Amino acid sequence: MLKKMIAPSMMCADFLCLGDDLREMKACGIEYLHIDIMDGVFVPNFTLGTDYIKKLHRATDIPLDIHLMVSDVDGKLDWFEVREGDYISVHAEACTHLQRALACIRAKGAKAMVALNPGTSLSVLDEILPDVDGILVMTVNPGFAGQKMVPQTLEKIARLRAYLDANGYEHVDIEADGNVSFENARKMSDAGANIFVAGTSAVFVPDVPLRVGIEKLREAVK
Ligand code: DX5
Ligand code: ZN
């Protein structure tokens, strides 16, 4: 059974309280900080950038989980500062040479992850399972916080977990990203996800202390 881990979605964080929030997340044992990088082409939005990653690397030792929603991502991996233990995810839909991109991520000392949009078949994974440490299943269409989970993605997580376990890839993480509410998180965990991207649906909720949301989410995925 893989460790259940929480990755707060930093695009949803209150930038004016970032220092306090990072200290609180460290105290809560947060395993990854989810960093959404969007280029306005692969998804119709801009969010965080290369300097934000550098600043976070200097502000905290919590590993980063960098989600690249970037077109033609193969040639842009060097744009992003990487630290040993970080996760870097590239979208299969945005990558001409997927195996090479994943090998490049590992060569940088990071863990390699493939991200799949809700409409993308699991079959794109067939040839690259030896090259991944995790798979990011988008449970919303990428680009914006505050959306509703695409219902069929729950069954997709279950099918993926079964496929990985049946083929000797029990060690590969499954990350759920999008509308990870307390109720959805429980279903995603039951389906086989073990990393949960926590945004406005769970931990970044106005007037709810960060620690309360994190502890409630940990309880939901136990
Ligand atoms: C979606 C983003 C996520 C997440 C935000 O593109 O990658 O960070 O949806 O959290 P929610 O969905 O809870 O607002
Ligand atoms: Zn994301």
Side-chain angles (χ1 to χ4, degrees), residues 99-118:
Q99 195 282 333
R100 186 169 69 187
L102 295 166
C104 173
I105 291 168
R106 278 185 166 167
K108 290 171 177 289
K111 298 201 288 188
M113 187 180 266
V114 183
L116 304 179
N117 289 333

PDB file of all heavy atoms in Angstrom, residues 99-118:
ATOM      1  N   GLN A  99       9.041   9.466 -24.024  1.00  0.00           N
ATOM      2  CA  GLN A  99      10.034   8.640 -23.296  1.00  0.00           C
ATOM      3  C   GLN A  99      11.296   9.461 -23.059  1.00  0.00           C
ATOM      4  O   GLN A  99      11.866   9.452 -21.952  1.00  0.00           O
ATOM      5  CB  GLN A  99      10.348   7.366 -24.103  1.00  0.00           C
ATOM      6  CG  GLN A  99      11.076   6.285 -23.310  1.00  0.00           C
ATOM      7  CD  GLN A  99      12.557   6.569 -23.146  1.00  0.00           C
ATOM      8  OE1 GLN A  99      13.172   7.258 -24.004  1.00  0.00           O
ATOM      9  NE2 GLN A  99      13.162   6.101 -22.050  1.00  0.00           N
ATOM     10  N   ARG A 100      11.685  10.248 -24.050  1.00  0.00           N
ATOM     11  CA  ARG A 100      12.913  11.060 -23.900  1.00  0.00           C
ATOM     12  C   ARG A 100      12.725  12.122 -22.818  1.00  0.00           C
ATOM     13  O   ARG A 100      13.617  12.375 -22.010  1.00  0.00           O
ATOM     14  CB  ARG A 100      13.252  11.727 -25.238  1.00  0.00           C
ATOM     15  CG  ARG A 100      14.580  12.457 -25.222  1.00  0.00           C
ATOM     16  CD  ARG A 100      14.998  12.876 -26.615  1.00  0.00           C
ATOM     17  NE  ARG A 100      14.122  13.935 -27.130  1.00  0.00           N
ATOM     18  CZ  ARG A 100      14.210  14.381 -28.393  1.00  0.00           C
ATOM     19  NH1 ARG A 100      15.086  13.856 -29.233  1.00  0.00           N
ATOM     20  NH2 ARG A 100      13.422  15.352 -28.817  1.00  0.00           N
ATOM     21  N   ALA A 101      11.541  12.715 -22.778  1.00  0.00           N
ATOM     22  CA  ALA A 101      11.260  13.752 -21.773  1.00  0.00           C
ATOM     23  C   ALA A 101      11.335  13.162 -20.366  1.00  0.00           C
ATOM     24  O   ALA A 101      11.933  13.751 -19.458  1.00  0.00           O
ATOM     25  CB  ALA A 101       9.894  14.361 -22.029  1.00  0.00           C
ATOM     26  N   LEU A 102      10.777  11.976 -20.197  1.00  0.00           N
ATOM     27  CA  LEU A 102      10.773  11.341 -18.875  1.00  0.00           C
ATOM     28  C   LEU A 102      12.198  10.966 -18.462  1.00  0.00           C
ATOM     29  O   LEU A 102      12.603  11.156 -17.311  1.00  0.00           O
ATOM     30  CB  LEU A 102       9.868  10.113 -18.894  1.00  0.00           C
ATOM     31  CG  LEU A 102       8.380  10.406 -19.130  1.00  0.00           C
ATOM     32  CD1 LEU A 102       7.633   9.130 -19.466  1.00  0.00           C
ATOM     33  CD2 LEU A 102       7.762  11.116 -17.932  1.00  0.00           C
ATOM     34  N   ALA A 103      12.974  10.473 -19.420  1.00  0.00           N
ATOM     35  CA  ALA A 103      14.372  10.118 -19.121  1.00  0.00           C
ATOM     36  C   ALA A 103      15.164  11.372 -18.747  1.00  0.00           C
ATOM     37  O   ALA A 103      15.999  11.352 -17.832  1.00  0.00           O
ATOM     38  CB  ALA A 103      14.996   9.425 -20.339  1.00  0.00           C
ATOM     39  N   CYS A 104      14.842  12.462 -19.402  1.00  0.00           N
ATOM     40  CA  CYS A 104      15.518  13.751 -19.126  1.00  0.00           C
ATOM     41  C   CYS A 104      15.196  14.222 -17.709  1.00  0.00           C
ATOM     42  O   CYS A 104      16.075  14.669 -16.972  1.00  0.00           O
ATOM     43  CB  CYS A 104      15.073  14.773 -20.164  1.00  0.00           C
ATOM     44  SG  CYS A 104      15.639  16.433 -19.845  1.00  0.00           S
ATOM     45  N   ILE A 105      13.941  14.078 -17.295  1.00  0.00           N
ATOM     46  CA  ILE A 105      13.526  14.477 -15.935  1.00  0.00           C
ATOM     47  C   ILE A 105      14.303  13.667 -14.897  1.00  0.00           C
ATOM     48  O   ILE A 105      14.856  14.210 -13.936  1.00  0.00           O
ATOM     49  CB  ILE A 105      12.000  14.299 -15.756  1.00  0.00           C
ATOM     50  CG1 ILE A 105      11.237  15.332 -16.604  1.00  0.00           C
ATOM     51  CG2 ILE A 105      11.600  14.397 -14.288  1.00  0.00           C
ATOM     52  CD1 ILE A 105       9.732  15.054 -16.726  1.00  0.00           C
ATOM     53  N   ARG A 106      14.400  12.371 -15.138  1.00  0.00           N
ATOM     54  CA  ARG A 106      15.140  11.525 -14.188  1.00  0.00           C
ATOM     55  C   ARG A 106      16.628  11.867 -14.186  1.00  0.00           C
ATOM     56  O   ARG A 106      17.268  11.883 -13.126  1.00  0.00           O
ATOM     57  CB  ARG A 106      14.930  10.053 -14.536  1.00  0.00           C
ATOM     58  CG  ARG A 106      13.616   9.496 -13.997  1.00  0.00           C
ATOM     59  CD  ARG A 106      13.509   8.013 -14.257  1.00  0.00           C
ATOM     60  NE  ARG A 106      12.438   7.370 -13.485  1.00  0.00           N
ATOM     61  CZ  ARG A 106      12.000   6.136 -13.739  1.00  0.00           C
ATOM     62  NH1 ARG A 106      12.542   5.419 -14.732  1.00  0.00           N
ATOM     63  NH2 ARG A 106      11.038   5.598 -13.008  1.00  0.00           N
ATOM     64  N   ALA A 107      17.147  12.197 -15.346  1.00  0.00           N
ATOM     65  CA  ALA A 107      18.580  12.549 -15.435  1.00  0.00           C
ATOM     66  C   ALA A 107      18.874  13.813 -14.630  1.00  0.00           C
ATOM     67  O   ALA A 107      20.001  14.018 -14.155  1.00  0.00           O
ATOM     68  CB  ALA A 107      18.971  12.750 -16.900  1.00  0.00           C
ATOM     69  N   LYS A 108      17.856  14.629 -14.444  1.00  0.00           N
ATOM     70  CA  LYS A 108      18.023  15.868 -13.632  1.00  0.00           C
ATOM     71  C   LYS A 108      17.937  15.578 -12.133  1.00  0.00           C
ATOM     72  O   LYS A 108      18.044  16.496 -11.317  1.00  0.00           O
ATOM     73  CB  LYS A 108      16.935  16.868 -14.022  1.00  0.00           C
ATOM     74  CG  LYS A 108      17.077  17.494 -15.429  1.00  0.00           C
ATOM     75  CD  LYS A 108      15.824  18.300 -15.769  1.00  0.00           C
ATOM     76  CE  LYS A 108      15.983  18.983 -17.102  1.00  0.00           C
ATOM     77  NZ  LYS A 108      16.971  20.119 -17.018  1.00  0.00           N
ATOM     78  N   GLY A 109      17.612  14.320 -11.777  1.00  0.00           N
ATOM     79  CA  GLY A 109      17.524  13.974 -10.353  1.00  0.00           C
ATOM     80  C   GLY A 109      16.123  14.069  -9.796  1.00  0.00           C
ATOM     81  O   GLY A 109      15.899  13.872  -8.599  1.00  0.00           O
ATOM     82  N   ALA A 110      15.144  14.387 -10.659  1.00  0.00           N
ATOM     83  CA  ALA A 110      13.749  14.475 -10.196  1.00  0.00           C
ATOM     84  C   ALA A 110      13.038  13.160 -10.480  1.00  0.00           C
ATOM     85  O   ALA A 110      13.562  12.288 -11.197  1.00  0.00           O
ATOM     86  CB  ALA A 110      13.040  15.629 -10.920  1.00  0.00           C
ATOM     87  N   LYS A 111      11.829  13.041  -9.930  1.00  0.00           N
ATOM     88  CA  LYS A 111      10.992  11.878 -10.217  1.00  0.00           C
ATOM     89  C   LYS A 111      10.093  12.246 -11.398  1.00  0.00           C
ATOM     90  O   LYS A 111       9.630  13.383 -11.511  1.00  0.00           O
ATOM     91  CB  LYS A 111      10.167  11.513  -8.977  1.00  0.00           C
ATOM     92  CG  LYS A 111      11.074  11.128  -7.797  1.00  0.00           C
ATOM     93  CD  LYS A 111      10.397  10.296  -6.755  1.00  0.00           C
ATOM     94  CE  LYS A 111       9.428  11.034  -5.932  1.00  0.00           C
ATOM     95  NZ  LYS A 111       8.924  10.221  -4.787  1.00  0.00           N
ATOM     96  N   ALA A 112       9.868  11.269 -12.263  1.00  0.00           N
ATOM     97  CA  ALA A 112       9.160  11.536 -13.529  1.00  0.00           C
ATOM     98  C   ALA A 112       7.702  11.113 -13.440  1.00  0.00           C
ATOM     99  O   ALA A 112       7.396  10.021 -12.934  1.00  0.00           O
ATOM    100  CB  ALA A 112       9.839  10.782 -14.670  1.00  0.00           C
ATOM    101  N   MET A 113       6.829  11.971 -13.916  1.00  0.00           N
ATOM    102  CA  MET A 113       5.378  11.721 -13.861  1.00  0.00           C
ATOM    103  C   MET A 113       4.759  12.108 -15.201  1.00  0.00           C
ATOM    104  O   MET A 113       5.160  13.108 -15.808  1.00  0.00           O
ATOM    105  CB  MET A 113       4.766  12.551 -12.721  1.00  0.00           C
ATOM    106  CG  MET A 113       3.315  12.276 -12.427  1.00  0.00           C
ATOM    107  SD  MET A 113       2.713  13.314 -11.054  1.00  0.00           S
ATOM    108  CE  MET A 113       2.964  12.231  -9.660  1.00  0.00           C
ATOM    109  N   VAL A 114       3.804  11.273 -15.650  1.00  0.00           N
ATOM    110  CA  VAL A 114       3.027  11.615 -16.855  1.00  0.00           C
ATOM    111  C   VAL A 114       1.653  12.074 -16.394  1.00  0.00           C
ATOM    112  O   VAL A 114       1.038  11.408 -15.554  1.00  0.00           O
ATOM    113  CB  VAL A 114       2.840  10.383 -17.770  1.00  0.00           C
ATOM    114  CG1 VAL A 114       2.097  10.796 -19.042  1.00  0.00           C
ATOM    115  CG2 VAL A 114       4.167   9.772 -18.130  1.00  0.00           C
ATOM    116  N   ALA A 115       1.184  13.181 -16.960  1.00  0.00           N
ATOM    117  CA  ALA A 115      -0.151  13.691 -16.645  1.00  0.00           C
ATOM    118  C   ALA A 115      -1.091  13.377 -17.804  1.00  0.00           C
ATOM    119  O   ALA A 115      -0.681  13.484 -18.979  1.00  0.00           O
ATOM    120  CB  ALA A 115      -0.103  15.201 -16.406  1.00  0.00           C
ATOM    121  N   LEU A 116      -2.325  12.977 -17.457  1.00  0.00           N
ATOM    122  CA  LEU A 116      -3.326  12.643 -18.489  1.00  0.00           C
ATOM    123  C   LEU A 116      -4.590  13.467 -18.265  1.00  0.00           C
ATOM    124  O   LEU A 116      -5.147  13.471 -17.167  1.00  0.00           O
ATOM    125  CB  LEU A 116      -3.691  11.147 -18.395  1.00  0.00           C
ATOM    126  CG  LEU A 116      -2.568  10.123 -18.494  1.00  0.00           C
ATOM    127  CD1 LEU A 116      -3.131   8.707 -18.345  1.00  0.00           C
ATOM    128  CD2 LEU A 116      -1.819  10.268 -19.803  1.00  0.00           C
ATOM    129  N   ASN A 117      -5.063  14.109 -19.340  1.00  0.00           N
ATOM    130  CA  ASN A 117      -6.342  14.816 -19.266  1.00  0.00           C
ATOM    131  C   ASN A 117      -7.480  13.801 -19.142  1.00  0.00           C
ATOM    132  O   ASN A 117      -7.315  12.641 -19.481  1.00  0.00           O
ATOM    133  CB  ASN A 117      -6.534  15.683 -20.516  1.00  0.00           C
ATOM    134  CG  ASN A 117      -5.593  16.885 -20.513  1.00  0.00           C
ATOM    135  OD1 ASN A 117      -5.176  17.358 -19.454  1.00  0.00           O
ATOM    136  ND2 ASN A 117      -5.253  17.363 -21.696  1.00  0.00           N
ATOM    137  N   PRO A 118      -8.642  14.269 -18.678  1.00  0.00           N
ATOM    138  CA  PRO A 118      -9.768  13.332 -18.504  1.00  0.00           C
ATOM    139  C   PRO A 118     -10.109  12.552 -19.770  1.00  0.00           C
ATOM    140  O   PRO A 118     -10.465  11.381 -19.704  1.00  0.00           O
ATOM    141  CB  PRO A 118     -10.925  14.255 -18.097  1.00  0.00           C
ATOM    142  CG  PRO A 118     -10.255  15.404 -17.419  1.00  0.00           C
ATOM    143  CD  PRO A 118      -8.962  15.615 -18.171  1.00  0.00           C
TER     144      PRO A 118
END
